[in-house]
Amino acid sequence: MTSKQQIEILATDEASEPMPKRKRSNRILWIAGPLVVALIAGWFYLTAGRYSSTDNAYVQADQVTIAAQVAGRVVEVAVHENQPVRKGDLLFRIDPEPLQIAVEQMQAQIAAAGDYLNASRDTFRSASADLRASEATLRNHEAQLKRIRELRSRGLVAQKALDDAINDVTTARGTRDSDSASLAKSRTMLGGAVDTPLNELSGYRVVMAQLAKAKLDLSHAEVRAPIDGTIGKMHLQPGDYLNVGQAAMPLVSNSLWVEGNFKETDLTNVRVGQAAEIEVDTYPGHKWKATVSSISPASGSQFSILPAQNATGNWVKIVQRIPVRLSIDTTNNAGLILRAGMSAEVEIDTGAENSLLGRWTANQPHRPQLALDR
């Protein structure tokens, strides 16, 4: 048998043998691989647009600027920089001695005002008596003038007697008018009546209000924390002089939230109340649960000092950013501390898809969105 015949026999034997397992595996991969890729691509297609995300987000907190409400020299600083404080804790104290002197001075003025108004009651009674006397005198002089005129018409008295009688009436009438004005003045000071209670008189109420103001200023000598928070950067030292309204230190609130600046094109399906996840750059891998609490009524550029004037000059369209406020669920923070100003990444689950199937099956109708209060 020739070698050529042997080769043909071997080839025939190999063709008659079954397909190796390796070739069958390759065929399965060629079929299953594209199918898996198609399923994954279909999943992403069906759920496309459900999540809106941005990395332009930061942790925010309310900040209170602690300022003096009365002028004075600082005698005690009870806190230091970066110290946590509770509402009502003493922050610093202004020298209370000048304010205490002002309170004592007003208390003395109240006593003096009481004495003066009580003396006005006596003045009122005296003016009433003087007015009665002057009115009686005027009536007497008027009767005398009438008699003198009758006698003068008969030629029984001289002209000088008539002139003296007229002068006496004029003088008595002036005295009566003066006493009447004094009585009206006393009545006004006593609120219209001599028996008006002291605490209802306007003059007494004025000095009482001044005393209340002096006591309020004295209470402001001790400056206390208005909220729970942490003291920021400060340089206040005992001996510093503070004017009214002068900033002393910042106080950052413990109430934190995240402000995400989303592109306007990413807010199509974002609604107040939707769930979100937040990841802070400081703590990679840890996610905080959050909720959309409000959406700004305008873009960030609208609140700038110089808003863009798009109706003038050459115009280039720029996608605007809309601030979205998210409240953070800190019940599962694993002991991690958030601080205002930290960078974060936000992802909002809108529950809606941009695909055709998603538009048919989305269960959240489009509703007008308004900015909500905090």
Side-chain angles (χ1 to χ4, degrees):
M1 181 180 295
T2 64
S3 60
K4 183 178 180 180
Q5 292 175 340
Q6 293 176 351
I7 293 173
E8 291 176 353
I9 294 171
L10 293 174
T12 302
D13 294 339
E14 291 177 357
S16 62
E17 291 180 358
M19 181 181 296
K21 294 181 179 181
R22 183 175 58 83
K23 290 184 178 181
R24 288 199 301 269
S25 300
N26 290 339
R27 182 176 297 176
I28 294 174
L29 290 176
W30 276 107
I31 296 174
L35 181 60
V36 172
V37 173
L39 290 174
I40 295 175
W43 170 256
F44 280 106
Y45 171 75
L46 293 177
T47 59
R50 176 173 178 176
Y51 297 93
S52 293
S53 62
T54 183
D55 58 356
N56 186 353
Y58 303 90
V59 179
Q60 303 287 351
D62 289 324
Q63 180 173 318
V64 179
T65 300
I66 306 299
Q69 293 182 269
V70 292
R73 192 167 302 280
V74 178
V75 295
E76 179 186 358
V77 179
V79 295
H80 56 78
E81 192 171 311
N82 304 329
Q83 176 181 335
V85 295
R86 304 289 293 179
K87 181 178 179 179
D89 288 350
L90 177 65
L91 302 181
F92 62 92
R93 182 181 287 107
I94 294 175
D95 185 7
E97 186 174 355
L99 304 174
Q100 183 63 48
I101 293 174
V103 170
E104 295 175 356
Q105 181 180 3
M106 290 311 306
Q107 290 174 340
Q109 288 188 6
I110 287 177
D115 294 339
Y116 177 77
L117 292 172
N118 287 328
S120 298
R121 300 181 194 277
D122 297 334
T123 302
F124 179 86
R125 296 185 181 94
S126 175
S128 298
D130 291 342
L131 180 60
R132 290 192 299 270
S134 60
E135 287 177 343
T137 301
L138 177 60
R139 288 193 299 269
N140 181 48
H141 284 300
E142 288 175 343
Q144 182 69 17
L145 175 62
K146 184 179 179 179
R147 290 192 295 271
I148 295 297
R149 279 177 175 169
E150 291 178 354
L151 294 174
R152 177 58 185 163
S153 63
R154 298 177 187 177
L156 299 177
V157 294
Q159 180 65 35
K160 183 178 182 305
L162 178 60
D163 293 340
D164 291 342
I166 294 174
N167 182 63
D168 292 340
V169 169
T170 302
T171 302
R173 186 174 288 121
T175 303
R176 190 273 312 271
D177 293 341
S178 176
D179 292 340
S180 178
S182 299
L183 181 63
K185 178 180 178 181
S186 300
R187 182 183 291 110
T188 301
M189 295 182 62
L190 295 173
V194 68
D195 56 349
T196 303
L198 196 62
N199 57 359
E200 294 182 8
L201 297 176
S202 59
Y204 192 79
R205 291 167 61 187
V206 167
V207 291
M208 286 296 295
Q210 293 174 346
L211 174 62
K213 176 64 169 55
K215 289 183 176 180
L216 182 63
D217 290 342
L218 180 60
S219 68
H220 288 159
E222 291 186 351
V223 180
R224 299 184 178 274
I227 57 174
D228 297 343
T230 304
I231 302 298
K233 190 175 183 62
M234 56 166 284
H235 302 285
L236 187 66
Q237 298 295 330
D240 291 343
Y241 188 89
L242 296 178
N243 292 313
V244 177
Q246 182 177 347
M249 62 184 68
L251 177 60
V252 181
S253 170
N254 291 337
S255 178
L256 301 173
W257 74 91
V258 170
E259 183 179 278
N261 301 298
F262 285 81
K263 294 180 180 178
E264 55 184 322
T265 53
D266 293 338
L267 293 179
T268 304
N269 298 314
V270 174
R271 301 288 182 270
V272 173
Q274 291 175 343
E277 284 188 346
I278 297 171
E279 183 175 354
V280 180
D281 293 356
T282 307
Y283 309 111
H286 184 83
K287 294 184 181 295
W288 278 266
K289 299 294 182 181
T291 305
V292 178
S293 59
S294 65
I295 302 175
S296 174
S299 65
S301 62
Q302 291 298 110
F303 296 110
S304 62
I305 298 177
L306 297 174
Q309 300 296 325
N310 295 325
T312 59
N314 296 328
W315 173 74
V316 178
K317 184 174 182 179
I318 300 175
V319 178
Q320 299 298 308
R321 296 274 180 170
I322 307 295
V324 176
R325 184 187 177 104
L326 301 105
S327 58
I328 309 172
D329 181 7
T330 57
T331 56
N332 187 23
N333 57 4
L336 305 179
I337 300 176
L338 294 177
R339 294 177 172 86
M342 286 182 170
S343 301
E345 295 182 7
V346 177
E347 185 179 68
I348 300 175
D349 184 1
T350 65
E353 293 82 14
N354 282 331
S355 63
L356 182 60
L357 179 62
R359 294 182 184 275
W360 289 342
T361 59
N363 55 5
Q364 296 184 0
H366 291 274
R367 300 185 302 272
Q369 295 295 295
L370 300 175
L372 301 182
D373 294 335
R374 292 182 181 179

